[in-house]
Amino acid sequence: KYIRRAAAKAIRATKTKKYKSLKVASYTNKGCTYGIRAMVEGFMLGIYEFDKYKSTKSKNSIKKIIISTDEYSEYELDIQKASIQMHKGKLIAQATNLTRDIVNTPPNDCYPQVMAKIAKKVAKECGLVCDVLKVSNLQKEKMNALLAVARASKHKPKVIHLAHKPKDAKIKISIIGKGLTYDSGGLSLKPSDFMVTMKSDKSGASAVIGILQAVAKLKLPIEVHGFIGAVENMIGGDAYKPDDVLVAKNGKTIEVRNTDAEGRIVLADVLCYAQE
């Protein structure tokens, strides 16, 4: 992690310069290629900027980074292994930056339908299986808790299921992400200062998409299922209320005391669906 951080700080320090290329040498890894992977990740994560909405884009003059594999004479660095680690570092950093892009996208441009489109695009590019449940499917699945949270928004909820299913997978795991594309707090309205960062309430869901992209591109020999509850928590005449009693997918009742506890209500249904 120290190499990754150092590489990120180094690349950030060049942003105000006009260098066209950089060279960094690896002299202390003692034949280990993981340090090179960390460098690649650090460079790609450190140079990241979200400037999609800025009229003036930041310009990066660096076109090439050279990583020297010269080692002390008593150690031999396997160039093929180093190349593999560089490739892995690149894929992991790309997935991380994709996650950052989704998190940073404002709620007027990233709501449940958009999150479903992003998931479908990633699935198509990476060979993942993608299944999106819309309102009629959610009603059939009796996801009444999730549907209650989404009621007051004009943006209909989605449950997104991404899957990486290689042959002869060694293990099967599921990851579940909270996808509140915006959280006003509902009728238990947040103070205005606390609403400002609520585009980031979809961070868990964004991470699920990024993780599945990385898993697929790295061709990991494990079966991974990612589940996302994509919902917007708003206010309106049909908003769910404190004192409401909701019946979740598994038949458990939930007495609502605060509508700003929407995340656990959404995830209750998504977790039940994932288990099934």
Side-chain angles (χ1 to χ4, degrees):
K1 67 179 180 180
Y2 298 112
I3 293 174
R4 188 184 297 109
R5 288 177 183 173
K9 288 185 178 181
I11 199 71
R12 288 191 196 108
T14 67
K15 287 185 177 181
T16 58
K17 311 299 181 183
K18 295 183 178 180
Y19 303 131
K20 292 185 178 180
S21 65
L22 294 175
K23 180 179 179 181
V24 57
S26 172
Y27 292 129
T28 59
N29 286 324
K30 298 182 179 180
C32 177
T33 58
Y34 294 108
I36 291 177
R37 169 177 155 183
M39 280 187 209
V40 172
E41 289 180 26
F43 288 139
M44 292 183 66
L45 297 176
I47 205 68
Y48 173 85
E49 279 193 34
F50 187 74
D51 57 5
K52 179 180 178 181
Y53 295 87
K54 291 184 178 179
S55 54
T56 303
K57 311 291 186 184
S58 58
K59 292 183 179 180
N60 177 28
S61 60
I62 295 174
K63 304 301 179 185
K64 180 169 63 175
I65 298 175
I66 302 165
I67 299 178
S68 171
T69 57
D70 293 334
E71 293 283 338
Y72 289 123
S73 58
E74 64 264 35
Y75 301 111
E76 290 185 8
L77 188 67
D78 188 319
I79 301 301
Q80 185 177 4
K81 287 182 179 179
S83 178
I84 291 171
Q85 291 301 329
M86 288 177 69
H87 182 61
K88 286 182 177 179
K90 179 181 176 181
L91 295 180
I92 291 168
Q94 285 175 340
T96 304
N97 287 338
L98 168 66
T99 301
R100 288 165 148 182
D101 281 344
I102 302 170
V103 174
N104 288 328
T105 302
N108 56 313
D109 282 344
C110 189
Y111 37 89
Q113 184 180 357
V114 174
M115 186 158 275
K117 286 182 179 179
I118 294 170
K120 287 180 180 179
K121 182 181 177 184
V122 170
K124 186 176 180 180
E125 291 173 351
C126 303
L128 296 166
V129 178
C130 183
D131 187 25
V132 178
L133 278 65
K134 53 188 180 182
V135 171
S136 58
N137 306 119
L138 300 175
Q139 290 170 337
K140 186 177 179 181
E141 291 290 341
K142 298 181 180 179
M143 294 192 189
N144 299 311
L146 182 150
L147 287 166
V149 174
R151 257 182 1 218
S153 173
K154 74 171 188 176
H155 298 299
K156 302 303 180 184
K158 309 284 183 186
V159 168
I160 304 162
H161 176 195
L162 286 167
H164 169 70
K165 299 195 286 187
K167 293 181 179 178
D168 302 319
K170 296 179 180 180
I171 194 172
K172 181 190 293 186
I173 64 170
S174 292
I175 52 176
I176 290 84
K178 176 184 173 185
L180 267 294
T181 57
Y182 191 73
D183 177 23
S184 69
L187 292 178
S188 302
L189 195 66
K190 290 179 181 291
S192 57
D193 289 348
F194 288 84
M195 280 195 221
V196 175
T197 59
M198 282 301 104
K199 66 181 181 183
S200 64
D201 222 19
K202 60 183 181 296
S203 298
S206 305
V208 168
I209 295 174
I211 289 168
L212 264 295
Q213 174 178 290
V215 166
K217 288 191 173 183
L218 288 168
K219 297 180 171 60
L220 298 186
I222 55 175
E223 185 172 331
V224 183
H225 294 265
F227 296 90
I228 293 168
V231 178
E232 189 177 62
N233 185 24
M234 297 296 287
I235 59 174
D238 196 30
Y240 82 121
K241 304 169 288 296
D243 285 345
D244 279 357
V245 175
L246 313 176
V247 182
K249 177 174 171 56
N250 63 355
K252 295 285 187 180
T253 53
I254 302 169
E255 182 181 8
V256 179
R257 305 303 299 272
N258 186 318
T259 62
D260 198 20
E262 82 302 321
R264 68 201 72 180
I265 295 175
V266 168
L267 288 175
D269 275 349
V270 179
L271 281 163
C272 289
Y273 182 72
Q275 288 174 327
E276 289 185 0

